[in-house]
Coordinates of all heavy atoms in Angstrom, one line a residue:
M1 N 0.8 -1.2 0.0 CA 0.0 0.0 0.0 C 0.9 1.2 0.0 O 1.8 1.4 0.8 CB -0.9 0.0 1.2 CG -1.8 1.1 1.3 SD -1.7 2.2 2.7 CE -0.3 1.7 3.6
D2 N 0.6 2.1 -0.9 CA 1.4 3.4 -1.0 C 0.8 4.4 -0.1 O -0.4 4.6 -0.2 CB 1.4 3.9 -2.5 CG 2.2 3.0 -3.4 OD1 3.1 2.3 -2.9 OD2 1.9 2.9 -4.6
A3 N 1.7 5.1 0.6 CA 1.2 6.3 1.3 C 1.5 7.5 0.5 O 2.5 7.5 -0.3 CB 2.0 6.4 2.7
P4 N 0.7 8.6 0.6 CA 1.0 9.8 -0.1 C 2.3 10.4 0.4 O 2.6 10.2 1.6 CB -0.2 10.7 0.1 CG -0.8 10.2 1.3 CD -0.5 8.7 1.5
E5 N 3.0 11.2 -0.4 CA 4.2 11.9 0.1 C 3.8 12.9 1.1 O 2.6 13.4 1.1 CB 4.8 12.7 -1.1 CG 5.4 11.8 -2.2 CD 6.0 12.6 -3.3 OE1 6.2 13.8 -3.1 OE2 6.1 12.1 -4.4
A6 N 4.8 13.4 1.9 CA 4.5 14.5 2.8 C 4.3 15.8 2.1 O 4.9 16.0 1.0 CB 5.6 14.6 3.8
G7 N 3.5 16.7 2.7 CA 3.4 18.0 2.1 C 2.4 18.1 1.0 O 2.3 19.1 0.3
V8 N 1.6 17.1 0.8 CA 0.6 17.1 -0.3 C -0.7 17.6 0.2 O -1.2 17.2 1.3 CB 0.3 15.7 -0.9 CG1 -0.8 15.6 -1.9 CG2 1.6 15.1 -1.5
V9 N -1.3 18.7 -0.4 CA -2.6 19.2 0.0 C -3.7 18.3 -0.5 O -3.8 18.0 -1.7 CB -2.8 20.6 -0.7 CG1 -4.2 21.1 -0.4 CG2 -1.8 21.6 -0.1
L10 N -4.5 17.8 0.4 CA -5.6 16.9 0.1 C -6.9 17.6 -0.3 O -7.5 17.2 -1.2 CB -5.8 15.9 1.2 CG -4.6 15.0 1.5 CD1 -4.9 14.2 2.8 CD2 -4.3 14.1 0.4
L11 N -7.2 18.6 0.5 CA -8.4 19.4 0.2 C -8.4 20.6 1.2 O -7.6 20.6 2.1 CB -9.7 18.6 0.2 CG -10.3 18.2 1.6 CD1 -11.6 17.5 1.4 CD2 -9.4 17.3 2.4
S12 N -9.3 21.6 0.9 CA -9.4 22.6 1.9 C -10.3 22.1 3.0 O -11.3 21.4 2.8 CB -10.2 23.8 1.2 OG -10.7 24.7 2.1
V13 N -9.9 22.5 4.2 CA -10.6 22.0 5.4 C -12.1 22.5 5.3 O -13.0 21.8 5.8 CB -9.9 22.4 6.7 CG1 -10.1 23.8 7.0 CG2 -10.4 21.5 7.8
N14 N -12.4 23.6 4.7 CA -13.7 24.1 4.6 C -14.6 23.2 3.7 O -15.9 23.4 3.7 CB -13.7 25.5 4.0 CG -13.2 26.5 5.0 OD1 -13.2 26.2 6.2 ND2 -12.6 27.6 4.4
E15 N -14.0 22.3 2.9 CA -14.9 21.4 2.1 C -15.5 20.3 3.0 O -16.3 19.5 2.4 CB -14.0 20.7 1.0 CG -13.5 21.7 0.0 CD -12.6 21.1 -1.1 OE1 -13.0 20.1 -1.7 OE2 -11.5 21.5 -1.2
L16 N -15.1 20.2 4.2 CA -15.6 19.1 5.1 C -16.3 19.8 6.3 O -15.7 20.6 7.0 CB -14.5 18.3 5.6 CG -13.9 17.2 4.7 CD1 -12.7 16.6 5.5 CD2 -14.9 16.2 4.4
E17 N -17.5 19.3 6.6 CA -18.2 19.7 7.8 C -17.6 18.8 8.9 O -17.0 17.8 8.7 CB -19.7 19.3 7.8 CG -20.5 19.9 6.6 CD -20.8 21.4 6.9 OE1 -20.9 21.7 8.1 OE2 -21.0 22.1 6.0
V18 N -17.6 19.3 10.2 CA -17.2 18.5 11.3 C -18.0 17.2 11.3 O -19.2 17.2 11.2 CB -17.3 19.3 12.6 CG1 -17.0 18.4 13.8 CG2 -16.4 20.5 12.6
G19 N -17.3 16.1 11.4 CA -18.0 14.8 11.4 C -18.1 14.1 10.1 O -18.6 13.0 9.9
Q20 N -17.7 14.9 9.0 CA -17.9 14.4 7.7 C -16.6 13.8 7.1 O -15.5 14.2 7.6 CB -18.4 15.6 6.8 CG -19.0 15.2 5.5 CD -19.3 16.4 4.6 OE1 -18.7 17.4 4.7 NE2 -20.3 16.2 3.8
A21 N -16.7 13.0 6.1 CA -15.5 12.4 5.4 C -15.7 12.6 3.9 O -16.8 12.7 3.4 CB -15.4 10.9 5.8
K22 N -14.5 12.6 3.3 CA -14.5 12.7 1.8 C -13.3 11.9 1.3 O -12.2 11.9 1.9 CB -14.3 14.2 1.5 CG -14.8 14.6 0.1 CD -14.9 16.1 0.0 CE -15.5 16.5 -1.3 NZ -15.7 17.9 -1.4
V23 N -13.5 11.2 0.2 CA -12.4 10.5 -0.5 C -11.8 11.4 -1.6 O -12.5 11.9 -2.4 CB -12.9 9.1 -1.0 CG1 -11.8 8.4 -1.8 CG2 -13.4 8.3 0.1
V24 N -10.5 11.5 -1.5 CA -9.8 12.3 -2.5 C -8.7 11.5 -3.1 O -8.2 10.5 -2.5 CB -9.2 13.6 -2.0 CG1 -10.3 14.5 -1.4 CG2 -8.2 13.4 -0.9
T25 N -8.3 11.9 -4.3 CA -7.2 11.2 -5.0 C -6.0 12.2 -5.2 O -6.2 13.3 -5.7 CB -7.6 10.7 -6.4 OG1 -8.7 9.8 -6.2 CG2 -6.5 9.8 -7.0
T26 N -4.8 11.8 -4.7 CA -3.7 12.8 -4.8 C -3.2 12.8 -6.2 O -3.6 11.9 -7.0 CB -2.5 12.3 -3.9 OG1 -2.0 11.1 -4.3 CG2 -3.0 12.2 -2.4
S27 N -2.3 13.7 -6.5 CA -1.8 13.8 -7.9 C -1.0 12.6 -8.3 O -0.9 12.3 -9.5 CB -1.0 15.1 -8.1 OG 0.0 15.1 -7.1
D28 N -0.5 11.9 -7.3 CA 0.2 10.7 -7.7 C -0.6 9.4 -7.5 O -0.2 8.3 -7.4 CB 1.6 10.5 -6.9 CG 1.5 10.8 -5.4 OD1 0.4 11.0 -4.9 OD2 2.5 10.7 -4.8
G29 N -2.0 9.6 -7.4 CA -2.9 8.5 -7.6 C -3.2 7.7 -6.3 O -3.8 6.7 -6.4
V30 N -2.9 8.3 -5.1 CA -3.2 7.6 -3.9 C -4.6 8.1 -3.4 O -4.9 9.3 -3.4 CB -2.1 8.0 -2.8 CG1 -2.5 7.2 -1.5 CG2 -0.7 7.6 -3.3
E31 N -5.4 7.1 -3.2 CA -6.8 7.4 -2.7 C -6.9 7.5 -1.2 O -6.5 6.5 -0.5 CB -7.8 6.4 -3.3 CG -7.8 6.6 -4.8 CD -8.8 5.6 -5.5 OE1 -8.5 4.4 -5.4 OE2 -9.8 6.1 -6.0
V32 N -7.3 8.6 -0.7 CA -7.3 8.9 0.7 C -8.7 9.3 1.2 O -9.3 10.1 0.6 CB -6.3 10.0 1.0 CG1 -6.2 10.3 2.5 CG2 -4.9 9.7 0.4
A33 N -9.1 8.7 2.3 CA -10.3 9.2 3.0 C -10.0 10.2 4.1 O -9.2 9.8 5.0 CB -11.1 8.0 3.6
V34 N -10.4 11.4 4.0 CA -10.1 12.4 4.9 C -11.3 12.6 5.8 O -12.5 12.7 5.3 CB -9.8 13.8 4.2 CG1 -9.4 14.8 5.3 CG2 -8.7 13.6 3.2
V35 N -11.1 12.6 7.1 CA -12.2 12.8 8.1 C -11.9 14.0 8.9 O -10.8 14.2 9.4 CB -12.3 11.5 9.0 CG1 -13.5 11.7 10.0 CG2 -12.4 10.3 8.2
R36 N -13.0 14.9 9.1 CA -12.8 16.0 10.0 C -13.5 15.7 11.3 O -14.7 15.6 11.4 CB -13.5 17.3 9.3 CG -13.2 18.5 10.1 CD -13.7 19.7 9.4 NE -13.3 21.0 10.1 CZ -13.7 22.2 9.7 NH1 -14.4 22.3 8.6 NH2 -13.3 23.2 10.4
E37 N -12.6 15.5 12.3 CA -13.2 15.1 13.6 C -13.6 16.3 14.4 O -14.5 16.2 15.3 CB -12.1 14.4 14.4 CG -11.8 13.0 13.8 CD -11.0 12.1 14.8 OE1 -10.0 12.6 15.3 OE2 -11.5 11.0 15.0
G38 N -13.0 17.4 14.2 CA -13.3 18.6 15.0 C -12.9 19.8 14.1 O -12.4 19.7 13.0
E39 N -13.1 21.0 14.7 CA -12.8 22.3 14.0 C -11.3 22.2 13.4 O -11.1 22.5 12.3 CB -12.9 23.5 14.9 CG -14.4 23.9 15.1 CD -15.1 24.3 13.8 OE1 -14.5 24.9 13.0 OE2 -16.3 24.0 13.7
Q40 N -10.4 21.7 14.3 CA -9.0 21.7 13.9 C -8.4 20.3 14.0 O -7.2 20.2 14.1 CB -8.2 22.6 14.9 CG -8.6 24.1 14.8 CD -8.4 24.7 13.4 OE1 -7.4 24.4 12.8 NE2 -9.3 25.5 13.0
E41 N -9.3 19.3 13.9 CA -8.8 17.9 14.0 C -9.2 17.2 12.8 O -10.4 17.0 12.5 CB -9.4 17.2 15.2 CG -8.7 17.7 16.5 CD -9.7 18.3 17.4 OE1 -11.0 18.1 17.3 OE2 -9.3 19.1 18.2
V42 N -8.2 16.7 12.1 CA -8.5 15.9 10.9 C -7.7 14.6 11.0 O -6.6 14.5 11.6 CB -8.1 16.6 9.6 CG1 -9.1 17.7 9.3 CG2 -6.7 17.1 9.6
R43 N -8.2 13.5 10.3 CA -7.5 12.3 10.2 C -7.6 11.8 8.8 O -8.5 12.2 8.1 CB -8.0 11.2 11.2 CG -7.8 11.6 12.6 CD -8.4 10.6 13.6 NE -7.5 9.4 13.7 CZ -7.6 8.5 14.6 NH1 -8.6 8.6 15.5 NH2 -6.9 7.4 14.6
A44 N -6.7 10.9 8.4 CA -6.8 10.4 7.0 C -6.5 8.9 7.0 O -5.6 8.5 7.8 CB -5.9 11.2 6.1
F45 N -7.2 8.2 6.2 CA -7.0 6.7 6.1 C -6.8 6.4 4.6 O -7.4 7.1 3.7 CB -8.2 6.0 6.7 CG -8.5 6.4 8.1 CD1 -9.4 7.3 8.4 CD2 -7.8 5.8 9.1 CE1 -9.6 7.7 9.7 CE2 -8.0 6.2 10.4 CZ -8.9 7.2 10.7
S46 N -6.2 5.3 4.4 CA -6.2 4.7 3.0 C -7.6 4.5 2.6 O -8.4 3.9 3.4 CB -5.4 3.4 3.0 OG -5.7 2.8 1.7
A47 N -8.0 4.8 1.4 CA -9.4 4.6 0.9 C -9.5 3.3 0.2 O -10.5 3.0 -0.4 CB -9.9 5.7 0.1
I48 N -8.4 2.5 0.3 CA -8.4 1.2 -0.4 C -8.8 0.1 0.5 O -8.2 -0.2 1.5 CB -7.0 0.9 -1.0 CG1 -6.5 2.0 -1.9 CG2 -7.0 -0.5 -1.7 CD1 -7.4 2.3 -3.1
C49 N -10.0 -0.6 0.2 CA -10.5 -1.6 1.1 C -9.5 -2.7 1.3 O -8.8 -3.1 0.4 CB -11.8 -2.2 0.5 SG -12.5 -3.5 1.5
T50 N -9.3 -3.1 2.6 CA -8.3 -4.1 2.9 C -8.8 -5.6 2.5 O -8.1 -6.5 2.7 CB -8.0 -4.1 4.4 OG1 -9.2 -4.2 5.2 CG2 -7.3 -2.8 4.7
H51 N -10.0 -5.7 2.0 CA -10.5 -7.0 1.6 C -9.9 -7.3 0.2 O -9.0 -8.1 0.1 CB -12.1 -7.0 1.5 CG -12.6 -8.3 1.1 ND1 -13.6 -8.4 0.1 CD2 -12.3 -9.6 1.4 CE1 -13.9 -9.7 -0.1 NE2 -13.1 -10.4 0.7
Q52 N -10.4 -6.6 -0.9 CA -9.8 -7.0 -2.2 C -9.5 -5.7 -3.0 O -9.3 -5.8 -4.2 CB -10.8 -7.8 -3.0 CG -10.8 -9.3 -2.4 CD -11.7 -10.2 -3.2 OE1 -12.3 -9.8 -4.2 NE2 -11.9 -11.4 -2.7
G53 N -9.4 -4.6 -2.3 CA -8.8 -3.4 -3.0 C -9.7 -2.5 -3.7 O -9.2 -1.6 -4.5
C54 N -11.0 -2.6 -3.5 CA -11.9 -1.5 -4.1 C -11.7 -0.2 -3.3 O -11.2 -0.2 -2.2 CB -13.3 -2.0 -4.0 SG -13.7 -3.4 -5.0
T55 N -12.2 0.9 -3.9 CA -12.1 2.1 -3.2 C -13.4 2.3 -2.4 O -14.5 2.2 -2.9 CB -12.0 3.3 -4.3 OG1 -10.9 3.1 -5.0 CG2 -11.9 4.6 -3.6
V56 N -13.2 2.7 -1.1 CA -14.3 2.9 -0.2 C -15.0 4.2 -0.5 O -14.4 5.1 -1.1 CB -14.0 2.8 1.3 CG1 -13.4 1.4 1.6 CG2 -13.0 3.9 1.7
R57 N -16.3 4.3 -0.1 CA -17.0 5.6 -0.3 C -17.2 6.2 1.1 O -17.5 5.5 2.0 CB -18.4 5.3 -0.9 CG -18.3 4.9 -2.4 CD -19.7 4.7 -2.9 NE -19.6 4.2 -4.3 CZ -20.5 3.3 -4.8 NH1 -21.5 3.0 -4.1 NH2 -20.3 2.9 -6.0
A58 N -17.2 7.5 1.1 CA -17.5 8.2 2.4 C -19.0 8.3 2.5 O -19.6 8.9 1.7 CB -16.8 9.6 2.4
E59 N -19.5 7.8 3.6 CA -21.0 7.9 3.9 C -21.1 8.7 5.1 O -20.1 9.0 5.8 CB -21.6 6.5 4.0 CG -21.2 5.6 2.9 CD -22.3 5.2 2.0 OE1 -23.4 5.0 2.6 OE2 -22.2 5.1 0.8
E60 N -22.3 9.0 5.5 CA -22.5 9.8 6.7 C -22.0 9.1 8.0 O -21.4 9.8 8.8 CB -24.0 10.1 6.9 CG -24.4 11.4 6.4 CD -25.9 11.7 6.6 OE1 -26.4 11.4 7.7 OE2 -26.5 12.1 5.6
E61 N -22.2 7.8 8.1 CA -21.9 7.1 9.3 C -20.6 6.3 9.3 O -20.1 5.9 10.3 CB -23.0 6.1 9.6 CG -24.4 6.7 9.7 CD -24.6 7.4 11.0 OE1 -24.0 7.0 12.0 OE2 -25.2 8.5 11.0
D62 N -20.1 6.1 8.1 CA -18.9 5.2 8.0 C -18.3 5.3 6.6 O -18.7 6.1 5.8 CB -19.3 3.7 8.2 CG -20.5 3.3 7.4 OD1 -20.6 3.7 6.2 OD2 -21.4 2.6 7.9
L63 N -17.2 4.5 6.4 CA -16.6 4.4 5.1 C -17.1 3.0 4.6 O -16.9 2.0 5.2 CB -15.1 4.4 5.2 CG -14.6 5.8 5.7 CD1 -13.1 5.7 6.1 CD2 -14.7 6.9 4.6
H64 N -17.7 3.0 3.4 CA -18.4 1.8 2.9 C -17.8 1.3 1.6 O -17.6 2.1 0.7 CB -19.9 2.2 2.7 CG -20.7 1.1 2.2 ND1 -21.6 1.2 1.1 CD2 -20.8 -0.2 2.5 CE1 -22.1 0.0 0.8 NE2 -21.7 -0.8 1.7
C65 N -17.5 0.0 1.6 CA -16.9 -0.5 0.3 C -18.1 -1.0 -0.5 O -18.8 -1.9 -0.1 CB -15.9 -1.7 0.7 SG -15.2 -2.3 -0.8
P66 N -18.1 -0.6 -1.8 CA -19.3 -1.0 -2.6 C -19.1 -2.4 -3.2 O -20.1 -3.0 -3.7 CB -19.2 0.0 -3.8 CG -17.8 0.4 -3.8 CD -17.3 0.4 -2.4
C67 N -17.9 -3.0 -3.1 CA -17.7 -4.3 -3.7 C -18.4 -5.4 -3.0 O -19.1 -6.2 -3.5 CB -16.2 -4.6 -3.9 SG -15.6 -3.5 -5.2
H68 N -18.1 -5.6 -1.7 CA -18.7 -6.7 -0.9 C -19.3 -6.2 0.4 O -19.5 -7.0 1.3 CB -17.6 -7.8 -0.7 CG -16.9 -8.1 -1.9 ND1 -15.6 -7.7 -2.1 CD2 -17.2 -8.9 -2.9 CE1 -15.2 -8.1 -3.3 NE2 -16.1 -8.9 -3.8
G69 N -19.4 -4.9 0.6 CA -20.1 -4.3 1.7 C -19.4 -4.1 3.0 O -20.0 -3.9 4.0
S70 N -18.1 -4.2 3.0 CA -17.4 -3.9 4.3 C -17.6 -2.5 4.7 O -17.8 -1.6 3.9 CB -15.9 -4.1 4.1 OG -15.6 -5.5 4.0
K71 N -17.6 -2.3 6.0 CA -17.8 -0.9 6.6 C -16.7 -0.7 7.6 O -16.3 -1.5 8.4 CB -19.1 -0.8 7.3 CG -20.3 -0.9 6.3 CD -21.6 -0.6 7.0 CE -22.8 -0.6 6.0 NZ -24.0 -0.4 6.7
F72 N -16.1 0.6 7.5 CA -15.0 1.0 8.4 C -15.4 2.2 9.1 O -16.1 3.1 8.6 CB -13.8 1.3 7.5 CG -13.3 0.1 6.7 CD1 -13.8 -0.1 5.4 CD2 -12.4 -0.8 7.2 CE1 -13.4 -1.1 4.6 CE2 -12.0 -1.9 6.4 CZ -12.5 -2.0 5.1
A73 N -14.9 2.3 10.4 CA -15.3 3.5 11.2 C -14.6 4.7 10.8 O -13.4 4.7 10.4 CB -14.9 3.2 12.7
L74 N -15.4 5.8 10.8 CA -14.8 7.1 10.5 C -13.8 7.6 11.5 O -12.8 8.3 11.2 CB -15.9 8.2 10.4 CG -16.9 8.1 9.3 CD1 -18.0 9.2 9.5 CD2 -16.2 8.2 7.9
T75 N -13.9 7.1 12.7 CA -13.1 7.6 13.8 C -11.7 7.0 13.8 O -10.7 7.7 14.1 CB -13.7 7.2 15.2 OG1 -14.1 5.8 15.1 CG2 -15.0 8.0 15.4
D76 N -11.5 5.8 13.3 CA -10.2 5.2 13.4 C -9.9 4.2 12.3 O -8.9 3.5 12.3 CB -9.9 4.5 14.8 CG -11.0 3.4 15.0 OD1 -11.8 3.1 14.2 OD2 -10.9 2.8 16.1
G77 N -10.8 4.1 11.3 CA -10.6 3.1 10.2 C -10.8 1.7 10.5 O -10.5 0.8 9.7
S78 N -11.2 1.4 11.7 CA -11.4 0.0 12.1 C -12.6 -0.6 11.4 O -13.5 0.1 10.9 CB -11.6 -0.1 13.7 OG -12.7 0.6 14.0
V79 N -12.6 -2.0 11.4 CA -13.6 -2.7 10.7 C -14.9 -2.7 11.5 O -14.9 -3.1 12.7 CB -13.2 -4.2 10.4 CG1 -14.4 -4.9 9.7 CG2 -12.0 -4.2 9.5
I80 N -16.0 -2.2 10.9 CA -17.3 -2.3 11.6 C -18.0 -3.7 11.2 O -18.5 -4.4 12.0 CB -18.2 -1.1 11.2 CG1 -17.6 0.2 11.7 CG2 -19.6 -1.3 11.8 CD1 -18.3 1.4 11.3
S81 N -17.9 -3.9 9.9 CA -18.4 -5.2 9.4 C -17.6 -5.6 8.2 O -17.2 -4.8 7.4 CB -19.9 -5.1 9.1 OG -20.2 -4.2 8.2
G82 N -17.4 -6.9 8.1 CA -16.6 -7.5 7.0 C -17.4 -7.6 5.7 O -18.4 -7.1 5.6
P83 N -16.8 -8.4 4.7 CA -15.7 -9.4 4.9 C -14.3 -8.8 5.2 O -13.4 -9.7 5.6 CB -15.7 -10.1 3.6 CG -16.2 -9.1 2.6 CD -17.2 -8.3 3.3
A84 N -14.0 -7.6 5.1 CA -12.6 -7.1 5.4 C -12.3 -7.5 6.9 O -13.2 -7.4 7.7 CB -12.5 -5.6 5.2
E85 N -11.1 -7.8 7.2 CA -10.7 -8.1 8.5 C -9.7 -7.1 9.1 O -9.6 -7.0 10.3 CB -10.1 -9.5 8.6 CG -11.1 -10.6 8.2 CD -10.5 -12.0 8.3 OE1 -9.3 -12.1 8.5 OE2 -11.3 -13.0 8.2
E86 N -9.0 -6.4 8.2 CA -7.9 -5.5 8.6 C -8.5 -4.1 8.5 O -9.2 -3.7 7.6 CB -6.7 -5.6 7.8 CG -6.1 -7.0 7.8 CD -5.5 -7.3 9.2 OE1 -4.9 -6.4 9.8 OE2 -5.6 -8.5 9.6
P87 N -8.1 -3.2 9.5 CA -8.5 -1.8 9.4 C -7.8 -1.1 8.2 O -6.8 -1.5 7.7 CB -8.0 -1.2 10.7 CG -6.9 -2.1 11.1 CD -7.2 -3.5 10.6
L88 N -8.4 0.1 7.9 CA -7.8 0.9 6.9 C -6.5 1.6 7.5 O -6.7 2.2 8.6 CB -8.7 2.0 6.4 CG -10.0 1.5 5.7 CD1 -11.0 2.7 5.5 CD2 -9.7 0.8 4.4
P89 N -5.4 1.5 6.9 CA -4.2 2.2 7.5 C -4.4 3.7 7.5 O -5.0 4.3 6.6 CB -3.1 1.8 6.5 CG -3.6 0.6 5.7 CD -5.1 0.8 5.7
E90 N -3.8 4.3 8.6 CA -4.0 5.7 8.8 C -2.7 6.4 8.2 O -1.6 5.9 8.3 CB -4.1 6.1 10.3 CG -4.3 7.5 10.5 CD -4.8 7.8 11.9 OE1 -4.9 6.9 12.7 OE2 -5.2 9.0 12.1
F91 N -3.0 7.6 7.6 CA -1.9 8.4 7.1 C -1.8 9.7 8.0 O -2.9 10.3 8.2 CB -2.1 8.9 5.7 CG -2.2 7.8 4.6 CD1 -3.1 7.9 3.6 CD2 -1.4 6.7 4.7 CE1 -3.2 6.9 2.6 CE2 -1.5 5.6 3.8 CZ -2.4 5.7 2.7
P92 N -0.7 10.1 8.4 CA -0.6 11.3 9.2 C -0.9 12.6 8.4 O -0.4 12.8 7.3 CB 0.8 11.4 9.8 CG 1.6 10.5 8.8 CD 0.6 9.5 8.2
V93 N -1.8 13.4 8.9 CA -2.2 14.7 8.2 C -2.4 15.8 9.3 O -2.5 15.5 10.5 CB -3.5 14.6 7.4 CG1 -3.3 13.7 6.2 CG2 -4.7 14.1 8.3
G94 N -2.3 17.0 8.8 CA -2.5 18.1 9.7 C -3.2 19.2 8.9 O -3.4 19.1 7.7
I95 N -3.5 20.3 9.6 CA -4.1 21.5 8.9 C -3.0 22.6 8.8 O -2.4 23.0 9.8 CB -5.3 22.0 9.6 CG1 -6.4 20.9 9.7 CG2 -5.9 23.3 9.0 CD1 -7.6 21.3 10.5
Q96 N -2.8 23.0 7.6 CA -1.9 24.1 7.3 C -2.5 25.1 6.4 O -3.0 24.8 5.3 CB -0.6 23.6 6.7 CG 0.4 22.9 7.6 CD 1.5 22.2 6.9 OE1 1.8 22.5 5.7 NE2 2.1 21.2 7.5
D97 N -2.6 26.4 6.8 CA -3.2 27.4 6.0 C -4.5 27.1 5.4 O -4.9 27.4 4.3 CB -2.2 27.8 4.8 CG -0.8 28.2 5.3 OD1 -0.8 28.9 6.3 OD2 0.1 27.9 4.6
G98 N -5.3 26.4 6.3 CA -6.7 26.1 5.9 C -6.8 24.9 5.0 O -7.9 24.5 4.5
N99 N -5.7 24.2 4.8 CA -5.8 23.0 4.0 C -5.4 21.7 4.8 O -4.6 21.8 5.7 CB -4.8 23.1 2.8 CG -5.2 24.1 1.8 OD1 -6.3 24.2 1.4 ND2 -4.2 24.9 1.4
V100 N -5.9 20.6 4.4 CA -5.5 19.3 5.0 C -4.3 18.8 4.2 O -4.4 18.7 3.0 CB -6.6 18.3 5.0 CG1 -6.2 17.0 5.6 CG2 -7.9 18.8 5.6
V101 N -3.2 18.7 4.9 CA -1.9 18.4 4.3 C -1.3 17.1 4.9 O -1.3 16.9 6.1 CB -0.9 19.6 4.5 CG1 0.4 19.3 3.8 CG2 -1.6 20.9 3.9
T102 N -0.7 16.3 4.0 CA -0.1 15.1 4.5 C 1.2 15.5 5.2 O 1.9 16.5 4.9 CB 0.3 14.1 3.4 OG1 1.1 14.8 2.4 CG2 -1.0 13.6 2.7
Q103 N 1.6 14.6 6.2 CA 2.8 14.9 7.0 C 3.9 13.8 6.9 O 3.5 12.7 6.5 CB 2.4 15.1 8.5 CG 1.5 16.3 8.7 CD 1.1 16.5 10.1 OE1 1.0 15.6 10.9 NE2 1.0 17.8 10.5
Ligands
FES201 S1 -13.2 -5.3 -1.7 FE1 -14.1 -4.2 -0.1 S2 -15.5 -5.6 0.7 FE2 -14.5 -6.7 -0.8

């Protein structure tokens, strides 16, 4: 699994409401689910399902894989329901100048 390089802008933090998630693709093709946990708190996870590699979708309550229905928690990428067994790996991110940036 490829992690995005450090210093990559993923999106403007204003594009996410608190509690919301969005899947973005970096310029080098890494698909990342960005979650806004609070006004100044963001987290990011690989958007590639750990079951067979489909891209998960950001839903209101969770990250949902359309291929076989796995669900992952917005809070920490853990598996809510399978068939996936492994959590989505987390990527370190922070907020810089109003943008969510990889670290
Ligand atoms: S690839 Fe995601 S549930 Fe199978």
Side-chain angles (χ1 to χ4, degrees):
M1 183 241 3
D2 291 332
E5 291 178 23
V8 173
V9 173
L10 296 175
L11 75 175
S12 163
V13 75
N14 291 334
E15 292 177 56
L16 283 175
E17 304 281 334
V18 173
Q20 198 185 25
K22 202 166 187 175
V23 174
V24 298
T25 306
T26 67
S27 55
D28 48 2
V30 182
E31 293 181 295
V32 183
V34 184
V35 183
R36 187 171 184 185
E37 290 197 309
E39 285 297 326
Q40 298 298 322
E41 287 115 25
V42 288
R43 295 177 77 167
F45 304 95
S46 167
I48 304 304
C49 181
T50 55
H51 179 227
Q52 288 181 5
C54 293
T55 301
V56 299
R57 292 183 186 145
E59 312 248 319
E60 261 179 49
E61 304 285 325
D62 51 40
L63 297 166
H64 178 228
C65 181
C67 289
H68 314 99
S70 290
K71 292 183 177 181
F72 301 89
L74 292 177
T75 49
D76 59 3
S78 61
V79 176
I80 297 172
S81 60
E85 295 182 352
E86 299 294 323
L88 299 173
E90 184 164 5
F91 299 143
V93 291
I95 299 175
Q96 284 170 20
D97 300 328
N99 293 316
V100 180
V101 180
T102 56
Q103 295 181 325

